[in-house]
Amino acid sequence: MPLKYKSIISQMTLVEKASLLSGEDFWHSRKIERLNVPAMALADGPHGLRKQASEGDHLGLVKGVAATCFPTSATMANSWDIAICEEVGKALGKEAVYNEVNIILGPGLNIKRSPLCGRNFEYYSEDPYQAGKIAAAFTRGIQSEGVGACLKHFAANNQEYLRMTNDSIVDERTLHEIYLTGFEIAVKEGKPKAVMSSYNKVNGTYSHEHRYLLRELLVDNWGFDGMVVSDWGGSNDAVESVKAGAHLEMPSTGYDSVHQIVDAVKIGYLEESVLDERVDEFLKVLYETEIKRQTELDFDVNHRLAQKAVEASIILLKNKSLLPLKPETEVAIIGDFADVPRYQGSGSSMVNPYKLDSTLELMAQSGLNIIGYAQGYDRVGKGDHEKLEAAVKLAQKAKVAVVYIGLNEIDEVEGQDRSHLKISTCQIELLAAISKVAKTVAVISGGSVIEMPWETHCDAIVHGYLTGQAGAQAIFNVLNGSVNPSGKLSETYPICYEDVPNIKYYPGNEKTSEYRDGIYVGYRYYDKVDQKVQYPFGFGLSYTHFEYSNLVVTRDGVKFNLKNIGALAGAEVSQLYIGKEQESIYRAKKELKGFKKVFLEPGETTVVEIPFDAYSFRYYDVNESTFQVERGLYRIEIGSSSRDIKLCDEIEIAGIIPVKDDSKALEAYFRGNITEIDSSTFQALYGDVVPSATWDKTQPLGLNDSLAQMVYAKSFLARFAINRLIGMRNKSVKKGNPDLNLFFLSNMPFRAIAKMSNGMISIAMTKNILDIVNGHFFKGLGGLVRSFISYRKRGLN
């Protein structure tokens, strides 16, 4: 295709062309003043803008400008409300324009493969269809204001531990059906200006230089016409990235990467026409997202929207005819989270809220008869008998105790995976004690799955997830009945962690992460093997009741009647699941293929229509390397959750007869019993030799090895340094205030020393540091001095 900006590119020097493909600093691309090419500003923003107010760090220790902290992605997914997700996206776009930001780094839509992933609060769902539809809505909303959205993290980025060096080993069918489908939907329906590549490798190739993902799939197949930006410090080889289809390496590496690209062109390894193509694609996004700052922004309007969004997302998990509370009911408010709320996760998405509602400050306008507050427990540390006793005494004076509990700040941290699914023992002890003296309502804060054996202590359970800045009043409105809860779970709650199917494969602890669980993620597994769960995917109660009837299935989709048969107005999320008996290929029992949220007045009936689409009946055919439709009879199920199916029918669909899977080699996958997949079975699924999962400790450390591997380095100095760093990191966790930069450092590869140094350290200098780490102190020190001199002589521009 001809270059759109050929007239500008033709005036650029080779250095100028290359310079546009890496950052000027931590948050901006380079500008070319003589050609009036401006810089591009990027900022974090999955659930609120995080534009750092001064020189930035990676994970948010420098506070950002004041912005609206909307509910996190995990929370918004529980709304199942496309319209409100798009509305929140639009508000994010307006705040980006106000702060002169071209690209918002979000939404994030990686699949919740395991409930232990420390970043699940930033992601939508265990289901790719739901994740893709919601991400597309956010993207449309953001980009309606003229700024760009950036889908992340592409692809198969499902653990935090060693995320920058880990290699995701995943079979072709699982990769396409589970881990890429959400991105496909979001790209095709949201048309994002940018996609962020993930840190990890995918089947041996770094995501940022993965030509199949970045070019053949993203551009040629899905029609993406934006730019690919690396995760911060995630670029491995600047030249290979350009060849593969990537555009912007962030943050700045000085001119180290620029020189590498220029040298590659000069020796003929990289064709200048390919470089020109990448520059042209980058300029397209740059000029399409040029913004003129708005001088005014009504933060109060966005605060009200944040409250509206969380009210649509709160989930009622249990209600023994206790909620909503009557105005005269004496209520005790108990729990540390009522005083100091947990309203967002820890990491690069942390927003500096311009306003933060407080449960205690809003008690007077709660609509409840609140008699007092007691802390009850410390959020970090062991139980406190005095605090527990004071809470019990307060509860004895009330009819109902509303107890605020959940995961604390060290439980959900970018850069670290969780080690269990429990809340603290002191919170469970408090619930048990309170339940003996008063009716008990648990209000949960947390961005991911928890075990809930303590639910027997509760007469009602309200789950707010991570509510953002306006959550306090929203929770009160659900408790007092002015809001009828309508959220539903976007992930399955198992009874205990031992029920999770991939506990033996997650996380990958050294070189690789093996996706032996295949397509059986979340409800696809639990429903396949009829595993009892605490709460199924799609579950959520209401203060009213709905009746489903008159299902009609046509070639175009389904329609049915939905009636509110209760006494209160409310909204219901109707879910379409499609399944087929497995014949030639193994299958999940059913898969989500559509949903619609409908609000109804008491006694009102409506006809709900959910169309079939390109994703309804397809599966990925590994023999043809494309999606196909298998001929046969399909079950059509309409449910209020994956386990609460209200209506059923069948439809015959035309298609192909697939090549039969080797049922003997893949017997476990046909049965769904994938908790004990051995190496030979996984190799049969993977279709190739599975690479070694362990570090070779006899070999010297290299550029792509993790700093964490210095624990076995030859240099005593290196071992001391990493142990010191890990000790400091663990100490910050014990204090309840995790140092996020220490998490980043301990996980990063050696090459990131150069990639994250803003040009102060080159790759050549990093190799000299590796000589020291590998026990060649004087060689490394001498080389370091020579590399530094050479680097300075060549110049930074």
Side-chain angles (χ1 to χ4, degrees), residues 575-600:
Q575 301 154 44
L576 165 65
Y577 294 90
I578 298 179
K580 183 185 184 300
E581 292 299 324
Q582 57 191 18
E583 298 173 28
S584 298
I585 61 171
Y586 60 88
R587 288 181 173 273
K589 183 176 288 187
K590 59 179 175 290
E591 298 179 307
L592 181 74
K593 297 297 182 180
F595 57 90
K596 183 168 286 188
K597 190 168 190 175
V598 178
F599 180 86
L600 295 173

mmCIF file of all heavy atoms in Angstrom, residues 575-600:
data_model
loop_
_atom_site.group_PDB
_atom_site.id
_atom_site.type_symbol
_atom_site.label_atom_id
_atom_site.label_comp_id
_atom_site.label_asym_id
_atom_site.label_seq_id
_atom_site.Cartn_x
_atom_site.Cartn_y
_atom_site.Cartn_z
ATOM 1 N N GLN A 575 -28.526 -14.699 29.624
ATOM 2 C CA GLN A 575 -27.294 -15.208 29.028
ATOM 3 C C GLN A 575 -27.596 -16.342 28.054
ATOM 4 O O GLN A 575 -28.357 -17.253 28.370
ATOM 5 C CB GLN A 575 -26.361 -15.702 30.137
ATOM 6 C CG GLN A 575 -26.006 -14.605 31.141
ATOM 7 C CD GLN A 575 -25.642 -15.135 32.511
ATOM 8 O OE1 GLN A 575 -24.899 -16.109 32.631
ATOM 9 N NE2 GLN A 575 -26.156 -14.493 33.558
ATOM 10 N N LEU A 576 -26.986 -16.263 26.872
ATOM 11 C CA LEU A 576 -27.123 -17.295 25.839
ATOM 12 C C LEU A 576 -25.904 -18.209 25.862
ATOM 13 O O LEU A 576 -24.767 -17.748 25.718
ATOM 14 C CB LEU A 576 -27.247 -16.644 24.464
ATOM 15 C CG LEU A 576 -27.042 -17.551 23.246
ATOM 16 C CD1 LEU A 576 -28.134 -18.611 23.162
ATOM 17 C CD2 LEU A 576 -26.992 -16.726 21.962
ATOM 18 N N TYR A 577 -26.139 -19.484 26.074
ATOM 19 C CA TYR A 577 -25.084 -20.490 26.028
ATOM 20 C C TYR A 577 -25.378 -21.468 24.893
ATOM 21 O O TYR A 577 -26.542 -21.814 24.647
ATOM 22 C CB TYR A 577 -24.997 -21.262 27.350
ATOM 23 C CG TYR A 577 -24.560 -20.411 28.523
ATOM 24 C CD1 TYR A 577 -25.507 -19.751 29.309
ATOM 25 C CD2 TYR A 577 -23.218 -20.256 28.840
ATOM 26 C CE1 TYR A 577 -25.119 -18.960 30.380
ATOM 27 C CE2 TYR A 577 -22.819 -19.477 29.912
ATOM 28 C CZ TYR A 577 -23.775 -18.831 30.676
ATOM 29 O OH TYR A 577 -23.383 -18.041 31.736
ATOM 30 N N ILE A 578 -24.330 -21.910 24.210
ATOM 31 C CA ILE A 578 -24.480 -22.865 23.116
ATOM 32 C C ILE A 578 -23.538 -24.035 23.346
ATOM 33 O O ILE A 578 -22.361 -23.842 23.704
ATOM 34 C CB ILE A 578 -24.187 -22.199 21.753
ATOM 35 C CG1 ILE A 578 -25.191 -21.065 21.491
ATOM 36 C CG2 ILE A 578 -24.243 -23.229 20.623
ATOM 37 C CD1 ILE A 578 -24.981 -20.324 20.192
ATOM 38 N N GLY A 579 -24.039 -25.228 23.149
ATOM 39 C CA GLY A 579 -23.232 -26.430 23.325
ATOM 40 C C GLY A 579 -23.537 -27.458 22.254
ATOM 41 O O GLY A 579 -24.538 -27.374 21.553
ATOM 42 N N LYS A 580 -22.647 -28.438 22.139
ATOM 43 C CA LYS A 580 -22.822 -29.512 21.166
ATOM 44 C C LYS A 580 -22.181 -30.772 21.710
ATOM 45 O O LYS A 580 -21.104 -30.716 22.337
ATOM 46 C CB LYS A 580 -22.156 -29.142 19.829
ATOM 47 C CG LYS A 580 -22.363 -30.181 18.725
ATOM 48 C CD LYS A 580 -21.584 -29.813 17.477
ATOM 49 C CE LYS A 580 -21.873 -30.805 16.367
ATOM 50 N NZ LYS A 580 -21.503 -32.201 16.748
ATOM 51 N N GLU A 581 -22.818 -31.888 21.490
ATOM 52 C CA GLU A 581 -22.211 -33.154 21.895
ATOM 53 C C GLU A 581 -20.903 -33.335 21.134
ATOM 54 O O GLU A 581 -20.846 -33.130 19.913
ATOM 55 C CB GLU A 581 -23.158 -34.319 21.600
ATOM 56 C CG GLU A 581 -24.404 -34.343 22.462
ATOM 57 C CD GLU A 581 -24.111 -34.466 23.946
ATOM 58 O OE1 GLU A 581 -23.141 -35.178 24.302
ATOM 59 O OE2 GLU A 581 -24.828 -33.834 24.741
ATOM 60 N N GLN A 582 -19.871 -33.718 21.834
ATOM 61 C CA GLN A 582 -18.580 -33.872 21.169
ATOM 62 C C GLN A 582 -18.550 -35.175 20.383
ATOM 63 O O GLN A 582 -18.990 -36.219 20.851
ATOM 64 C CB GLN A 582 -17.443 -33.813 22.174
ATOM 65 C CG GLN A 582 -17.504 -34.841 23.295
ATOM 66 C CD GLN A 582 -16.505 -34.551 24.384
ATOM 67 O OE1 GLN A 582 -15.981 -33.453 24.507
ATOM 68 N NE2 GLN A 582 -16.221 -35.554 25.200
ATOM 69 N N GLU A 583 -18.040 -35.064 19.158
ATOM 70 C CA GLU A 583 -17.916 -36.234 18.298
ATOM 71 C C GLU A 583 -16.465 -36.329 17.833
ATOM 72 O O GLU A 583 -15.662 -37.026 18.419
ATOM 73 C CB GLU A 583 -18.885 -36.119 17.120
ATOM 74 C CG GLU A 583 -20.347 -36.084 17.562
ATOM 75 C CD GLU A 583 -21.297 -35.797 16.418
ATOM 76 O OE1 GLU A 583 -20.963 -36.144 15.269
ATOM 77 O OE2 GLU A 583 -22.372 -35.215 16.657
ATOM 78 N N SER A 584 -16.137 -35.573 16.810
ATOM 79 C CA SER A 584 -14.773 -35.639 16.288
ATOM 80 C C SER A 584 -13.786 -34.851 17.140
ATOM 81 O O SER A 584 -12.604 -35.180 17.196
ATOM 82 C CB SER A 584 -14.743 -35.091 14.856
ATOM 83 O OG SER A 584 -15.558 -35.883 14.011
ATOM 84 N N ILE A 585 -14.255 -33.779 17.764
ATOM 85 C CA ILE A 585 -13.376 -32.935 18.573
ATOM 86 C C ILE A 585 -13.931 -32.836 19.987
ATOM 87 O O ILE A 585 -15.131 -32.962 20.219
ATOM 88 C CB ILE A 585 -13.226 -31.520 17.970
ATOM 89 C CG1 ILE A 585 -14.595 -30.830 17.899
ATOM 90 C CG2 ILE A 585 -12.586 -31.581 16.591
ATOM 91 C CD1 ILE A 585 -14.526 -29.366 17.531
ATOM 92 N N TYR A 586 -13.044 -32.619 20.956
ATOM 93 C CA TYR A 586 -13.484 -32.426 22.339
ATOM 94 C C TYR A 586 -14.066 -31.024 22.487
ATOM 95 O O TYR A 586 -13.677 -30.086 21.813
ATOM 96 C CB TYR A 586 -12.338 -32.663 23.329
ATOM 97 C CG TYR A 586 -11.148 -31.756 23.145
ATOM 98 C CD1 TYR A 586 -11.087 -30.519 23.767
ATOM 99 C CD2 TYR A 586 -10.074 -32.140 22.341
ATOM 100 C CE1 TYR A 586 -10.000 -29.678 23.601
ATOM 101 C CE2 TYR A 586 -8.983 -31.305 22.165
ATOM 102 C CZ TYR A 586 -8.956 -30.082 22.799
ATOM 103 O OH TYR A 586 -7.880 -29.253 22.617
ATOM 104 N N ARG A 587 -15.019 -30.897 23.393
ATOM 105 C CA ARG A 587 -15.718 -29.630 23.576
ATOM 106 C C ARG A 587 -16.061 -29.389 25.043
ATOM 107 O O ARG A 587 -16.242 -30.339 25.812
ATOM 108 C CB ARG A 587 -17.041 -29.619 22.791
ATOM 109 C CG ARG A 587 -16.908 -29.516 21.279
ATOM 110 C CD ARG A 587 -18.284 -29.496 20.640
ATOM 111 N NE ARG A 587 -18.231 -29.226 19.210
ATOM 112 C CZ ARG A 587 -18.224 -28.017 18.668
ATOM 113 N NH1 ARG A 587 -18.257 -26.952 19.446
ATOM 114 N NH2 ARG A 587 -18.176 -27.867 17.349
ATOM 115 N N ALA A 588 -16.198 -28.106 25.398
ATOM 116 C CA ALA A 588 -16.836 -27.760 26.653
ATOM 117 C C ALA A 588 -18.318 -28.111 26.550
ATOM 118 O O ALA A 588 -18.865 -28.258 25.452
ATOM 119 C CB ALA A 588 -16.677 -26.267 26.930
ATOM 120 N N LYS A 589 -18.980 -28.259 27.696
ATOM 121 C CA LYS A 589 -20.407 -28.595 27.675
ATOM 122 C C LYS A 589 -21.216 -27.477 27.029
ATOM 123 O O LYS A 589 -22.159 -27.733 26.267
ATOM 124 C CB LYS A 589 -20.912 -28.857 29.097
ATOM 125 C CG LYS A 589 -22.368 -29.279 29.163
ATOM 126 C CD LYS A 589 -22.801 -29.614 30.585
ATOM 127 C CE LYS A 589 -22.194 -30.925 31.063
ATOM 128 N NZ LYS A 589 -22.757 -31.321 32.383
ATOM 129 N N LYS A 590 -20.851 -26.244 27.345
ATOM 130 C CA LYS A 590 -21.508 -25.076 26.746
ATOM 131 C C LYS A 590 -20.594 -23.881 26.882
ATOM 132 O O LYS A 590 -19.678 -23.859 27.713
ATOM 133 C CB LYS A 590 -22.855 -24.801 27.417
ATOM 134 C CG LYS A 590 -22.797 -24.535 28.906
ATOM 135 C CD LYS A 590 -24.197 -24.244 29.431
ATOM 136 C CE LYS A 590 -24.232 -24.094 30.940
ATOM 137 N NZ LYS A 590 -24.014 -25.366 31.651
ATOM 138 N N GLU A 591 -20.860 -22.868 26.043
ATOM 139 C CA GLU A 591 -20.046 -21.661 26.049
ATOM 140 C C GLU A 591 -20.935 -20.436 25.916
ATOM 141 O O GLU A 591 -21.935 -20.469 25.185
ATOM 142 C CB GLU A 591 -19.038 -21.675 24.898
ATOM 143 C CG GLU A 591 -18.038 -22.809 24.977
ATOM 144 C CD GLU A 591 -17.066 -22.817 23.803
ATOM 145 O OE1 GLU A 591 -17.545 -22.793 22.649
ATOM 146 O OE2 GLU A 591 -15.855 -22.822 24.050
ATOM 147 N N LEU A 592 -20.582 -19.358 26.604
ATOM 148 C CA LEU A 592 -21.326 -18.115 26.487
ATOM 149 C C LEU A 592 -21.176 -17.562 25.077
ATOM 150 O O LEU A 592 -20.067 -17.396 24.571
ATOM 151 C CB LEU A 592 -20.789 -17.088 27.495
ATOM 152 C CG LEU A 592 -21.501 -15.736 27.481
ATOM 153 C CD1 LEU A 592 -22.873 -15.849 28.142
ATOM 154 C CD2 LEU A 592 -20.658 -14.670 28.184
ATOM 155 N N LYS A 593 -22.303 -17.247 24.440
ATOM 156 C CA LYS A 593 -22.287 -16.718 23.071
ATOM 157 C C LYS A 593 -23.190 -15.500 22.895
ATOM 158 O O LYS A 593 -23.440 -15.065 21.765
ATOM 159 C CB LYS A 593 -22.713 -17.811 22.085
ATOM 160 C CG LYS A 593 -21.778 -19.019 22.048
ATOM 161 C CD LYS A 593 -20.373 -18.639 21.574
ATOM 162 C CE LYS A 593 -19.479 -19.871 21.489
ATOM 163 N NZ LYS A 593 -18.112 -19.525 21.035
ATOM 164 N N GLY A 594 -23.651 -14.933 23.995
ATOM 165 C CA GLY A 594 -24.466 -13.733 23.906
ATOM 166 C C GLY A 594 -25.043 -13.396 25.264
ATOM 167 O O GLY A 594 -25.164 -14.257 26.144
ATOM 168 N N PHE A 595 -25.401 -12.115 25.465
ATOM 169 C CA PHE A 595 -26.046 -11.701 26.711
ATOM 170 C C PHE A 595 -26.726 -10.361 26.487
ATOM 171 O O PHE A 595 -26.373 -9.603 25.593
ATOM 172 C CB PHE A 595 -25.036 -11.619 27.868
ATOM 173 C CG PHE A 595 -23.873 -10.694 27.617
ATOM 174 C CD1 PHE A 595 -23.921 -9.351 27.965
ATOM 175 C CD2 PHE A 595 -22.706 -11.178 27.036
ATOM 176 C CE1 PHE A 595 -22.843 -8.506 27.747
ATOM 177 C CE2 PHE A 595 -21.622 -10.350 26.815
ATOM 178 C CZ PHE A 595 -21.687 -9.004 27.163
ATOM 179 N N LYS A 596 -27.714 -10.093 27.328
ATOM 180 C CA LYS A 596 -28.401 -8.803 27.261
ATOM 181 C C LYS A 596 -28.947 -8.465 28.636
ATOM 182 O O LYS A 596 -29.550 -9.310 29.307
ATOM 183 C CB LYS A 596 -29.530 -8.829 26.226
ATOM 184 C CG LYS A 596 -30.233 -7.476 26.060
ATOM 185 C CD LYS A 596 -31.133 -7.461 24.832
ATOM 186 C CE LYS A 596 -30.324 -7.384 23.550
ATOM 187 N NZ LYS A 596 -31.193 -7.178 22.350
ATOM 188 N N LYS A 597 -28.726 -7.207 29.039
ATOM 189 C CA LYS A 597 -29.257 -6.725 30.322
ATOM 190 C C LYS A 597 -30.490 -5.895 30.053
ATOM 191 O O LYS A 597 -30.459 -4.957 29.241
ATOM 192 C CB LYS A 597 -28.198 -5.905 31.062
ATOM 193 C CG LYS A 597 -28.566 -5.562 32.495
ATOM 194 C CD LYS A 597 -27.371 -5.005 33.260
ATOM 195 C CE LYS A 597 -27.662 -4.901 34.738
ATOM 196 N NZ LYS A 597 -26.467 -4.481 35.533
ATOM 197 N N VAL A 598 -31.582 -6.235 30.739
ATOM 198 C CA VAL A 598 -32.872 -5.590 30.501
ATOM 199 C C VAL A 598 -33.459 -5.120 31.823
ATOM 200 O O VAL A 598 -33.488 -5.876 32.800
ATOM 201 C CB VAL A 598 -33.852 -6.562 29.816
ATOM 202 C CG1 VAL A 598 -35.203 -5.902 29.609
ATOM 203 C CG2 VAL A 598 -33.289 -7.050 28.490
ATOM 204 N N PHE A 599 -33.946 -3.875 31.865
ATOM 205 C CA PHE A 599 -34.605 -3.314 33.049
ATOM 206 C C PHE A 599 -36.111 -3.401 32.873
ATOM 207 O O PHE A 599 -36.649 -3.025 31.825
ATOM 208 C CB PHE A 599 -34.185 -1.857 33.247
ATOM 209 C CG PHE A 599 -34.824 -1.199 34.441
ATOM 210 C CD1 PHE A 599 -34.241 -1.314 35.692
ATOM 211 C CD2 PHE A 599 -36.012 -0.486 34.307
ATOM 212 C CE1 PHE A 599 -34.837 -0.714 36.803
ATOM 213 C CE2 PHE A 599 -36.613 0.116 35.415
ATOM 214 C CZ PHE A 599 -36.013 -0.006 36.666
ATOM 215 N N LEU A 600 -36.786 -3.889 33.918
ATOM 216 C CA LEU A 600 -38.247 -4.053 33.841
ATOM 217 C C LEU A 600 -38.916 -3.544 35.106
ATOM 218 O O LEU A 600 -38.436 -3.759 36.228
ATOM 219 C CB LEU A 600 -38.602 -5.533 33.659
ATOM 220 C CG LEU A 600 -38.167 -6.215 32.359
ATOM 221 C CD1 LEU A 600 -38.452 -7.710 32.434
ATOM 222 C CD2 LEU A 600 -38.864 -5.586 31.170
#
